[in-house]
Amino acid sequence: MLASFRSSFLLAAALFALAACGEETALPTTLETAAVTEDIELTQAAFENTQTTSLAEVGYAIDNALIDFGGLPRSMASIVAAGPTRPSDPRSARRMLDRAESYTAAEPLSAIPAALLGRTLVWNPTTQEYVLSDITGAPANGVRFRLYQIDPVTGLPANPLVYIGYVNVSREGTVSSPVARLAVFSTNGTKLLEYVATVGGTQQVPSFRVDGTAGVGPNSATFSLAVAVNLNNSTVTAVWRTAIPSRGLTSRTTLGIGQAGFTINGVMQRGLSKVEVVGTLNFNTGGTVTVKVGNRTFATMTINSEGVPSEFTNAEGAPLTPEQEQVLEAIFAWFNSTWNWYGALLDPVYTVLDVPLSQ
């Protein structure tokens, strides 16, 4: 998993209706541990590598560099990008809502500063920030940031620096409907991740959307992330979807966060093989989630206050096998990584996308 991300966020999801004619077809109710493990590993492999891990850690630094060179951050898009700051801290939800409420539509439009267009920025380990360089190759309508191996202790580029790739950030679209494009490359120019991001909605219900591709080769993936903050009822929702077309494999996680806790619904499906996790979690005490295989209850997981599975029982209340527990932990960890991707994808681009929204 993306273990070196700045924060690990407690997974939460709003209940999602699955009613459809095809859902009534009899589905296998046996947990195929080897096949499900392979599904998870292939999905992770498409998204998780040293370059995307580095991007996740330096996302804030990338956005700070845009600000330092003349970008004009406002809270509308950054509220959507921020996400909860800790797994079990109810103040996280209030913090996001407070930032949205402070939005001022009269502030100027943000954009990539002209001084950065066509330029490459490198990491300064002394000041721990990105600085301009004379390195060429950046896109004319954007800016390039070099990526480095991350020190697992500090969460920053390791010193001495080890160059592992780069990320291009550019702005497209129109003044009123901007589009941020971000692409991650290895040192030899192989594209590992690319997405476009847009901001929309209203001042009371701002929204943010990301669509992209990840990985290389036959098992590359597509993905989307849709986020909305509802200031009228003080909730935040997000829907994270992935697919590996060559394998017929999809996953969907619907997230929801309120003042007291979360609900969760995560589904991974390949053909008739389907595993679902549904439950309610409290910020301070955790909770339980039900695991369904083929629409039938297979097991219950107890989740502690840190968002980690701590106890497993089958549908009859008996213990699971160690292999079954390991697979369910991996499934839950993938759904839980939604919050990691929430921050990793949005942190570098929210200043680029800030635009006034209507009431």
Side-chain angles (χ1 to χ4, degrees):
M1 303 303 299
L2 294 170
S4 64
F5 274 172
R6 175 182 290 105
S7 303
S8 62
F9 299 111
L10 179 65
L11 182 63
L15 296 177
F16 195 95
L18 292 175
C21 294
E23 296 291 344
E24 300 303 322
T25 302
L27 302 177
T29 57
T30 300
L31 182 65
E32 300 175 353
T33 54
V36 173
T37 297
E38 184 178 14
D39 287 342
I40 295 170
E41 290 176 348
L42 285 175
T43 303
Q44 291 173 341
F47 288 89
E48 300 169 10
N49 50 60
T50 55
Q51 289 82 5
T52 56
T53 296
S54 180
L55 173 67
E57 293 293 353
V58 300
Y60 281 116
I62 288 175
D63 196 69
N64 285 339
L66 296 174
I67 295 171
D68 291 342
F69 282 88
L72 299 170
R74 291 198 313 275
S75 60
M76 180 49 60
S78 60
I79 167 66
V80 183
T85 56
R86 290 183 52 209
S88 57
D89 188 352
R91 293 170 297 179
S92 298
R94 186 64 256 168
R95 177 172 174 267
M96 288 189 291
L97 296 166
D98 286 343
R99 291 175 67 186
E101 289 166 349
S102 68
Y103 167 71
T104 303
E107 292 179 356
L109 178 69
S110 296
I112 296 177
L116 295 185
L117 293 176
R119 303 294 299 274
T120 296
L121 281 77
V122 298
W123 186 256
N124 184 321
T126 301
T127 61
Q128 297 185 347
E129 63 183 354
Y130 275 103
V131 297
L132 279 173
S133 76
D134 294 327
I135 299 172
T136 60
N141 66 331
V143 57
R144 175 171 294 179
F145 295 84
R146 284 200 159 192
L147 297 173
Y148 307 90
Q149 285 187 358
I150 297 297
D151 184 326
V153 176
T154 66
L156 297 172
N159 191 12
L161 296 175
V162 179
Y163 172 51
I164 61 172
Y166 57 91
V167 53
N168 290 342
V169 181
S170 59
R171 176 166 164 144
E172 303 171 359
T174 64
V175 172
S176 60
S177 299
V179 174
R181 181 178 295 275
L182 184 147
V184 177
F185 299 85
S186 64
T187 55
N188 65 7
T190 300
K191 186 183 297 183
L192 304 173
L193 180 81
E194 183 175 32
Y195 61 88
V196 295
T198 57
V199 63
T202 67
Q203 187 170 342
Q204 287 302 112
V205 188
S207 64
F208 207 98
R209 184 173 177 88
V210 173
D211 292 276
T213 59
V216 295
N219 290 321
S220 59
T222 62
F223 64 88
S224 67
L225 173 67
V227 181
V229 178
N230 191 320
L231 299 178
N232 297 315
N233 59 21
S234 298
T235 60
V236 180
T237 62
V239 180
W240 165 247
R241 297 174 183 266
T242 69
I244 300 181
S246 66
R247 192 171 173 84
L249 174 64
T250 63
S251 74
R252 178 187 64 229
T253 308
T254 305
L255 310 175
I257 181 173
Q259 295 298 303
F262 306 85
T263 57
I264 166 177
N265 185 301
V267 181
M268 180 170 282
Q269 187 162 5
R270 176 175 47 81
L272 294 180
S273 175
K274 175 182 175 184
V275 181
E276 183 177 9
V277 173
V278 182
T280 299
L281 301 169
N282 181 275
F283 283 111
N284 299 312
T285 60
T288 60
V289 297
T290 299
V291 180
K292 297 181 180 181
V293 177
N295 291 339
R296 283 191 179 184
T297 298
F298 176 80
T300 298
M301 288 192 292
T302 299
I303 310 299
N304 64 25
S305 60
E306 296 299 317
V308 178
S310 60
E311 184 178 345
F312 303 82
T313 57
N314 65 18
E316 289 72 40
L320 300 179
T321 67
E323 184 180 27
Q324 290 171 334
E325 290 187 3
Q326 185 177 10
V327 172
L328 295 189
E329 285 180 335
I331 292 171
F332 185 81
W334 171 249
F335 294 144
N336 193 50
S337 72
T338 298
W339 283 124
N340 293 336
W341 287 105
Y342 187 128
L345 299 176
L346 298 181
D347 286 345
V349 299
Y350 64 75
T351 291
V352 178
L353 288 177
D354 272 330
V355 294
L357 299 176
S358 65
Q359 296 284 345

